[in-house]
Every structure is written in structure tokens, then in C-alpha cells.
Amino acid sequence: MIAHKDRIELGELAKTIVSCANEERCNLIVVSEPRPGAIRRWLTRTTGLSFGSLASNVVQLAEIPVIVVK
């Protein structure tokens, strides 16, 4: 069993997740990465640009390990 705590916060998603993890002194953040929708896939193919996701933003901001689950 993995210990966890439910918490509801308002704010910018990635910053709020990392902030809450720091406040709760978490050892690990687990975040899901859903498959991109049709529009995002089309934009990526058409423009060649990669758009940042919530999971990638959390990984960049966090000072603790982050597991991204697809």
C-alpha cells in the first residue's frame, strides 16, 4: 500500500502540484500523461512543434522524483 493524502487546491497545475508535494514533504510525485488528442497530434505533425504537457512541467519544476504513467 502506498500512503497518500487527498487534497484540493486552486492554481496553476504544475506549480500547485509541486508546491503541495513540498509542503507535504512527499518523496515522490506520480502523474499521468494521457495520449494526445487528434488536434494536438495534427499540430505536432504539421508544425513540428512540441507542446509542453502538465507531466513535463511537473518533471521540470520538481526537486523530487516524478513518475509519469501513460
Side-chain angles (χ1 to χ4, degrees):
M1 178 178 204
I2 297 175
H4 71 282
K5 180 178 178 183
D6 294 334
R7 186 168 163 172
I8 298 172
E9 296 285 334
L10 297 175
E12 187 179 328
L13 294 175
K15 287 182 181 180
T16 302
I17 289 170
V18 172
S19 175
C20 289
N22 290 335
E23 289 173 16
E24 298 289 338
R25 295 183 175 180
C26 294
N27 298 325
L28 174 70
I29 298 172
V30 179
V31 63
S32 67
E33 179 71 48
R35 296 187 82 191
I39 293 174
R40 178 171 268 185
R41 285 192 310 268
W42 177 80
L43 281 171
T44 302
R45 276 194 320 266
T46 305
T47 64
L49 297 175
S50 177
F51 298 94
S53 67
L54 171 63
S56 64
N57 291 339
V58 171
V59 168
Q60 290 175 357
L61 293 173
E63 295 179 6
I64 60 175
V66 178
I67 294 177
V68 180
V69 181
K70 289 189 174 189

